[in-house]
Amino acid sequence: MTKNINQAFTLAEVLITLGIVGIVAAMTIPALVNRTQGKELETSLKKSYSVLQNAFNQMSYDEGQTINRANYGPHTLMPVLKKYFKVSKDCNLYGCASGNLPETGGYRISDNYKTYNNTPLAVNLFDDGQVIVSDGMFIMIENVGGPLLITVDTNGYNKKPNRWGHDLFTFQIMDNGKLLPMGAETTTYDETRYCSMSVTNNYNGIACTYKALTDKNYFKNLPK
């Protein structure tokens, strides 16, 4: 007659198994979290680009003219553009992201934002009109003496990471009225100097937009 023998794991075996599970989790969970965060940032960028493009197209149609520097001088674009969004807060020219007074070099350094590789960011290109939209998107215009720019915090003004090329992206409004992602051909700032882990200038990240929209691996390789 065969005897039934109750078998069970020993305490040592359980502890070893739990240790292995813990090691595997420690190795995989951060990667999964980063992948999820990257996907969220990618989705919010594409949504913001689409929303901006639709607003520009409708505004151009309603106004009966091209949106560019010739037709909209300093301080004149945002008062018209904001009508095409559900604005939760109007920051006027620079009331929501003005930065500190310049220490050196004539740059105002942001209290809230960092560059692509987490160095101090200058907000000089954000101060010709700012609004926060009801879904949290933060829109900033620059149109004083240089290219006509629109920068967007895609996932909300107070939501991290608050870094250029991560959740903060810049587009250029060309003289022909096209809204191009910065870093694209013919835009003012190039990827080599302004979307790099190895440079520390105050505008690093401004030219990451085109790459973020076209490189399928971009959000997997964001700097820490």
Side-chain angles (χ1 to χ4, degrees):
M1 183 176 180
T2 304
K3 294 183 179 179
N4 292 326
I5 301 175
N6 293 325
Q7 293 184 341
F9 293 109
T10 66
L11 177 59
E13 290 172 330
V14 171
L15 292 176
I16 291 172
T17 302
L18 290 176
I20 294 172
V21 170
I23 293 171
V24 173
M27 294 172 61
T28 59
I29 288 178
L32 290 173
V33 170
N34 288 338
R35 191 176 301 126
T36 300
Q37 290 176 340
K39 193 63 180 178
E40 290 175 351
L41 293 174
E42 181 181 9
T43 300
S44 64
L45 168 59
K46 291 179 177 178
K47 176 187 173 183
S48 296
Y49 188 21
S50 177
V51 169
L52 285 175
Q53 189 67 71
N54 289 338
F56 269 76
N57 290 342
Q58 188 62 51
M59 177 180 162
S60 181
Y61 176 81
D62 292 345
E63 293 276 296
Q65 63 181 3
T66 302
I67 303 174
N68 58 22
R69 292 179 296 175
N71 293 325
Y72 296 90
H75 313 330
T76 65
L77 178 57
M78 184 61 88
V80 183
L81 179 63
K82 69 183 180 182
K83 298 175 184 177
Y84 295 87
F85 300 95
K86 188 175 181 181
V87 175
S88 63
K89 183 175 181 179
D90 189 340
C91 308
N92 298 313
L93 292 179
Y94 49 79
C96 292
S98 59
N100 296 318
L101 293 175
E103 296 181 2
T104 58
Y107 293 104
R108 293 194 311 280
I109 300 302
S110 175
D111 299 315
N112 198 39
Y113 291 102
K114 297 290 186 179
T115 66
Y116 177 66
N117 54 348
N118 208 31
T119 57
L121 178 148
V123 296
N124 296 52
L125 301 182
F126 298 167
D127 55 6
D128 195 45
Q130 300 176 356
V131 295
I132 299 176
V133 182
S134 59
D135 68 356
M137 184 170 66
F138 181 35
I139 304 171
M140 295 166 279
I141 297 289
E142 172 62 23
N143 189 24
V144 181
L148 180 50
L149 309 178
I150 181 164
T151 299
V152 183
D153 183 342
T154 62
N155 68 340
Y157 176 61
N158 288 315
K159 188 174 180 180
K160 299 295 184 182
N162 281 356
R163 287 166 63 178
W164 237 334
H166 293 239
D167 59 342
L168 188 70
F169 293 95
T170 298
F171 300 85
Q172 183 168 346
I173 305 166
M174 311 303 289
D175 289 341
N176 62 5
K178 288 186 177 181
L179 180 69
L180 295 184
M182 189 63 75
E185 188 177 357
T186 73
T187 57
T188 299
Y189 293 90
D190 67 274
E191 178 186 317
T192 303
R193 293 183 59 198
Y194 296 99
C195 184
S196 171
M197 296 183 189
S198 62
V199 302
T200 58
N201 67 69
N202 296 124
Y203 295 150
N204 187 27
I206 192 174
C208 290
T209 312
Y210 178 75
K211 187 175 182 180
L213 287 167
T214 58
D215 183 350
K216 65 180 181 180
N217 294 316
Y218 176 84
F219 286 96
K220 298 177 183 178
N221 300 310
L222 291 174
K224 303 299 183 183

